[in-house]
PDB file of all heavy atoms in Angstrom:
ATOM      1  N   ASP A 227     -21.730  -3.934   9.727  1.00 98.00           N
ATOM      2  CA  ASP A 227     -20.958  -4.531   8.643  1.00 98.00           C
ATOM      3  C   ASP A 227     -20.367  -3.431   7.770  1.00 98.00           C
ATOM      4  O   ASP A 227     -19.228  -3.555   7.277  1.00 98.00           O
ATOM      5  CB  ASP A 227     -21.834  -5.465   7.803  1.00 98.00           C
ATOM      6  CG  ASP A 227     -21.883  -6.873   8.365  1.00 98.00           C
ATOM      7  OD1 ASP A 227     -20.907  -7.304   9.024  1.00 98.00           O
ATOM      8  OD2 ASP A 227     -22.893  -7.569   8.139  1.00 98.00           O
ATOM      9  N   LEU A 228     -21.109  -2.351   7.557  1.00 98.00           N
ATOM     10  CA  LEU A 228     -20.567  -1.226   6.782  1.00 98.00           C
ATOM     11  C   LEU A 228     -19.379  -0.601   7.511  1.00 98.00           C
ATOM     12  O   LEU A 228     -18.356  -0.315   6.894  1.00 98.00           O
ATOM     13  CB  LEU A 228     -21.630  -0.167   6.540  1.00 98.00           C
ATOM     14  CG  LEU A 228     -21.086   1.110   5.895  1.00 98.00           C
ATOM     15  CD1 LEU A 228     -20.610   0.852   4.471  1.00 98.00           C
ATOM     16  CD2 LEU A 228     -22.106   2.240   5.913  1.00 98.00           C
ATOM     17  N   GLY A 229     -19.522  -0.369   8.826  1.00 98.00           N
ATOM     18  CA  GLY A 229     -18.426   0.222   9.586  1.00 98.00           C
ATOM     19  C   GLY A 229     -17.141  -0.590   9.438  1.00 98.00           C
ATOM     20  O   GLY A 229     -16.059  -0.041   9.222  1.00 98.00           O
ATOM     21  N   ASN A 230     -17.265  -1.901   9.519  1.00 98.00           N
ATOM     22  CA  ASN A 230     -16.095  -2.766   9.370  1.00 98.00           C
ATOM     23  C   ASN A 230     -15.562  -2.745   7.939  1.00 98.00           C
ATOM     24  O   ASN A 230     -14.350  -2.852   7.712  1.00 98.00           O
ATOM     25  CB  ASN A 230     -16.447  -4.198   9.800  1.00 98.00           C
ATOM     26  CG  ASN A 230     -16.641  -4.305  11.297  1.00 98.00           C
ATOM     27  OD1 ASN A 230     -15.982  -3.620  12.073  1.00 98.00           O
ATOM     28  ND2 ASN A 230     -17.576  -5.136  11.724  1.00 98.00           N
ATOM     29  N   ALA A 231     -16.463  -2.613   6.957  1.00 98.00           N
ATOM     30  CA  ALA A 231     -16.034  -2.541   5.554  1.00 98.00           C
ATOM     31  C   ALA A 231     -15.227  -1.274   5.299  1.00 98.00           C
ATOM     32  O   ALA A 231     -14.201  -1.307   4.594  1.00 98.00           O
ATOM     33  CB  ALA A 231     -17.252  -2.595   4.634  1.00 98.00           C
ATOM     34  N   VAL A 232     -15.681  -0.150   5.834  1.00 98.00           N
ATOM     35  CA  VAL A 232     -14.959   1.108   5.655  1.00 98.00           C
ATOM     36  C   VAL A 232     -13.558   1.000   6.245  1.00 98.00           C
ATOM     37  O   VAL A 232     -12.572   1.408   5.610  1.00 98.00           O
ATOM     38  CB  VAL A 232     -15.740   2.283   6.298  1.00 98.00           C
ATOM     39  CG1 VAL A 232     -14.878   3.547   6.332  1.00 98.00           C
ATOM     40  CG2 VAL A 232     -17.034   2.544   5.544  1.00 98.00           C
ATOM     41  N   LEU A 233     -13.462   0.456   7.438  1.00 97.00           N
ATOM     42  CA  LEU A 233     -12.140   0.284   8.070  1.00 97.00           C
ATOM     43  C   LEU A 233     -11.258  -0.649   7.243  1.00 97.00           C
ATOM     44  O   LEU A 233     -10.074  -0.386   7.022  1.00 97.00           O
ATOM     45  CB  LEU A 233     -12.329  -0.273   9.481  1.00 97.00           C
ATOM     46  CG  LEU A 233     -11.052  -0.584  10.276  1.00 97.00           C
ATOM     47  CD1 LEU A 233     -10.165   0.643  10.389  1.00 97.00           C
ATOM     48  CD2 LEU A 233     -11.407  -1.117  11.653  1.00 97.00           C
ATOM     49  N   PHE A 234     -11.839  -1.750   6.773  1.00 97.00           N
ATOM     50  CA  PHE A 234     -11.084  -2.713   5.981  1.00 97.00           C
ATOM     51  C   PHE A 234     -10.548  -2.073   4.692  1.00 97.00           C
ATOM     52  O   PHE A 234      -9.368  -2.227   4.340  1.00 97.00           O
ATOM     53  CB  PHE A 234     -11.964  -3.921   5.626  1.00 97.00           C
ATOM     54  CG  PHE A 234     -11.262  -4.946   4.809  1.00 97.00           C
ATOM     55  CD1 PHE A 234     -10.524  -5.971   5.402  1.00 97.00           C
ATOM     56  CD2 PHE A 234     -11.309  -4.904   3.417  1.00 97.00           C
ATOM     57  CE1 PHE A 234      -9.857  -6.922   4.640  1.00 97.00           C
ATOM     58  CE2 PHE A 234     -10.642  -5.837   2.651  1.00 97.00           C
ATOM     59  CZ  PHE A 234      -9.911  -6.844   3.263  1.00 97.00           C
ATOM     60  N   ILE A 235     -11.395  -1.322   3.990  1.00 97.00           N
ATOM     61  CA  ILE A 235     -10.997  -0.680   2.742  1.00 97.00           C
ATOM     62  C   ILE A 235      -9.973   0.410   2.997  1.00 97.00           C
ATOM     63  O   ILE A 235      -9.015   0.588   2.231  1.00 97.00           O
ATOM     64  CB  ILE A 235     -12.222  -0.130   2.008  1.00 97.00           C
ATOM     65  CG1 ILE A 235     -13.063  -1.281   1.457  1.00 97.00           C
ATOM     66  CG2 ILE A 235     -11.840   0.833   0.891  1.00 97.00           C
ATOM     67  CD1 ILE A 235     -12.338  -2.194   0.481  1.00 97.00           C
ATOM     68  N   LEU A 236     -10.148   1.140   4.088  1.00 96.00           N
ATOM     69  CA  LEU A 236      -9.181   2.174   4.466  1.00 96.00           C
ATOM     70  C   LEU A 236      -7.783   1.593   4.579  1.00 96.00           C
ATOM     71  O   LEU A 236      -6.798   2.160   4.088  1.00 96.00           O
ATOM     72  CB  LEU A 236      -9.598   2.808   5.800  1.00 96.00           C
ATOM     73  CG  LEU A 236      -8.627   3.827   6.410  1.00 96.00           C
ATOM     74  CD1 LEU A 236      -8.591   5.093   5.565  1.00 96.00           C
ATOM     75  CD2 LEU A 236      -9.032   4.153   7.843  1.00 96.00           C
TER      76      LEU A 236
END
Side-chain angles (χ1 to χ4, degrees):
D227 274 332
L228 173 67
N230 290 326
V232 170
L233 177 57
F234 180 88
I235 289 301
L236 175 68

